[in-house]
Amino acid sequence: MTSSSQAPADIPQDSPFQDAASEAASATPAATPAFSPLYRQIKNLLLARLHSGEWKPGESIPSEIDLAAQFRVSQGTVRKAIDELAAENLLMRRQGKGTFVTTHTERQVQYRFLKLLPDHDSPNDEGRAQRQILEFRRMRATPQQAQALQLPPDAPLIHIRRVLSFQGVPTILEDIWLPAHVLKGINEDIVTGYQGPTYALLEEEFGVHMVRAEEKLKAVLPDAEAMRILDIPAHTALLHVQRLAFTYHDTPMELRSGLYRTDTHHYHNELG
Amino acid sequence: MTSSSQAPADIPQDSPFQDAASEAASATPAATPAFSPLYRQIKNLLLARLHSGEWKPGESIPSEIDLAAQFRVSQGTVRKAIDELAAENLLMRRQGKGTFVTTHTERQVQYRFLKLLPDHDSPNDEGRAQRQILEFRRMRATPQQAQALQLPPDAPLIHIRRVLSFQGVPTILEDIWLPAHVLKGINEDIVTGYQGPTYALLEEEFGVHMVRAEEKLKAVLPDAEAMRILDIPAHTALLHVQRLAFTYHDTPMELRSGLYRTDTHHYHNELG
DNA sequence: GAGTGGTCTAGACCACGCG
DNA sequence: GCGTGGTCTAGACCACTCA
């Protein structure tokens, strides 16, 4: 192997590594020098294959040695690429078993994005929330919604309104908006009948995998409907949580607006 | 030290990389000793030196090659230890320059733990918050406080009450409790006179470095005093943020209780 | 040009899960 | 016992910073 380039020498010329490596190595005219190490290019290839659905949530991907052979790089380089994807919660490593595509279906990580916890551990845990769908309808995006979801104006949306109850107490009133075009065949029965987290449903039925989210929190007072649905008096302050959730490649895929009761629960956050 | 042994000279005898002979010689405890890789032991040694104050915030630590020589391990092993510390925001790497101890003093990361952002980017940013100390006093920990801070009952605390204003508008009313025994020589003038984040003060004056924190959020209504200080009507819901901040080794060092106005600001959070 | 972190390799071996 | 991820080494070279 030549010492002039770290790129694998015996890769055919149409290999993406050839291009990427020589691009980085050759004196780029101007604009973006933006050196991209080999492991990051591998990472992007893995990302593309994840996004393409070649490996589905819950499945295992090829072993590090296999991938290293496929890409003609060393195991260490593949390893570093996987490390980053694991750090972003896209992959999960299990020693002795393999590397798996993250899923919202597994018990372990089912409620990754739900930060509301009971103030005191309830002895009778009941597992988790009970869901009740209040509304399911098709609508057109408002300008704000279209902008947030990066959709054209008036794009068709699915709107779901629901209540989550813990131990029989209605605690979260939530509106969810999703782009209709990615949820082919969705209907109220599917949503109502599904047991388990919304993101698990999206994953299983529509191949939409939520990867990360941003939330904006405010303290608010309930309107008449929220008072009624959550069964609370007017002077109960609520936590308003607006969420924008993303799938691969930072594509926004869900808008969510929730009202959380915080008299018996709290929103938990870790600061690093 | 010969090169035949994997065990570095400075590492305690419990290194799992000791050869079979010494492993057999040392009495292995009954309970599973929970295998700890070499790089994690290195990490703990670095952590100890950080905690000891040998390397102060803002300073650089020895180069990877130096450390590798000191610990008699390869650069890659030191590197992995530093990687983890950098991921935990204890160290910061700067290519070409060195590895530095994280500090709350630097502009870049000054407000790491403040998640309250203006709803709209204000054209006149003003930099950051104005602080006003309302109260500084010594007190004894309540049972709850003592428990949270892992202190003996009635342990002496410093209590600071203050208001943070953004662009002249009082926005955060905050109570801070700190163990008095680690803040030798603290007085009201030091606190009042200091410009900059509280954690920068603690770092510079008392060598206390906050590393991470946990927050519990609730929506509440203001009491009379909060209404007066924040200049808001009774029907303004506020975000109540209770924080427990930790220094090295997960030692709790600060208890904080804040009321945030969220009519013009919001609490921003990223979910991974 | 010297020094630092960052990348990559090839090979060896260890810990773990499972049939 | 085999295959998987996980650790560790030694050495080479690249990218960046600064004197």
Side-chain angles (χ1 to χ4, degrees), chain B residues 10-137:
Chain B
D10 297 16
I11 299 244
Q13 292 188 349
D14 61 25
S15 166
F17 293 94
Q18 296 281 347
D19 57 0
S22 58
E23 186 178 339
S26 66
T28 330
T32 39
F35 166 71
S36 171
L38 188 49
Y39 73 83
R40 186 140 297 160
Q41 301 172 42
I42 303 285
K43 178 187 171 186
N44 286 332
L45 292 176
L46 294 175
L47 211 39
R49 288 169 79 168
L50 280 168
H51 188 204
S52 77
E54 175 175 347
W55 305 317
K56 298 204 166 14
E59 293 179 3
S60 71
I61 70 171
S63 75
E64 294 178 354
I65 293 176
D66 275 4
L67 290 169
Q70 282 182 37
F71 294 140
R72 313 259 193 180
V73 299
S74 75
Q75 185 199 359
T77 299
V78 168
R79 191 168 178 73
K80 184 141 189 181
I82 292 177
D83 275 345
E84 288 204 355
L85 293 169
E88 294 167 17
N89 289 310
L90 297 183
L91 295 176
M92 280 193 49
R93 330 186 72 138
R94 290 187 220 157
Q95 182 171 161
K97 298 186 69 174
T99 300
F100 299 78
V101 182
T102 306
T103 171
H104 289 271
T105 302
E106 278 173 42
R107 210 69 178 161
Q108 235 180 350
V109 289
Q110 232 174 37
Y111 290 91
R112 257 170 71 195
F113 289 177
L114 180 56
K115 313 272 285 182
L116 198 70
L117 298 179
D119 288 339
H120 312 285
D121 284 339
S122 24
N124 193 8
D125 194 318
E126 301 270 350
R128 302 297 297 197
Q130 300 88 48
R131 297 169 195 77
Q132 187 190 350
I133 306 295
L134 301 184
E135 198 176 332
F136 175 96
R137 67 188 183 96

Side-chain angles (χ1 to χ4, degrees), chain A residues 6 35 37-39 73-74 76-77 80 95-97:
Chain A
Q6 301 263 0
F35 165 73
L38 189 47
Y39 74 83
V73 299
S74 76
T77 300
K80 184 142 189 181
Q95 183 170 160
K97 297 187 70 174

Side-chain angles (χ1 to χ4, degrees), chain A residues 148-201:
Chain A
L149 292 170
Q150 294 177 18
L151 296 173
D154 300 318
L157 297 184
I158 303 292
H159 174 207
I160 298 168
R161 166 168 280 209
R162 63 172 187 172
V163 172
L164 300 191
S165 297
F166 298 96
Q167 308 199 313
V169 180
T171 306
I172 298 181
L173 168 59
E174 211 165 37
D175 289 290
I176 302 175
W177 293 276
L178 293 155
H181 68 90
V182 296
L183 307 177
K184 296 193 197 310
I186 194 171
N187 61 52
E188 183 158 5
D189 288 343
I190 293 179
V191 173
T192 308
Y194 189 83
Q195 311 293 359
T198 306
Y199 292 158
L201 182 153

Side-chain angles (χ1 to χ4, degrees), chain B residues 186-234:
Chain B
I186 195 172
N187 60 53
E188 183 158 5
D189 289 342
I190 292 180
V191 173
T192 308
Y194 188 83
Q195 311 293 356
T198 305
Y199 292 158
L201 181 155
L202 295 176
E203 195 176 283
E204 293 183 1
E205 298 292 329
F206 306 102
V208 174
H209 186 190
M210 297 303 182
V211 162
R212 69 175 193 90
E214 296 175 358
E215 290 190 335
K216 293 183 181 182
L217 280 64
K218 283 174 178 282
V220 300
L221 288 172
D223 60 15
E225 194 174 3
M227 285 171 57
R228 180 175 56 76
I229 296 173
L230 292 177
D231 188 27
I232 50 171

Side-chain angles (χ1 to χ4, degrees), chain B residues 253-265:
Chain B
M253 279 300 286
E254 182 208 47
L255 198 53
R256 195 182 275 222
S257 180
L259 292 174
Y260 294 12
R261 281 183 66 171
T262 57
D263 46 353
T264 57
H265 289 66

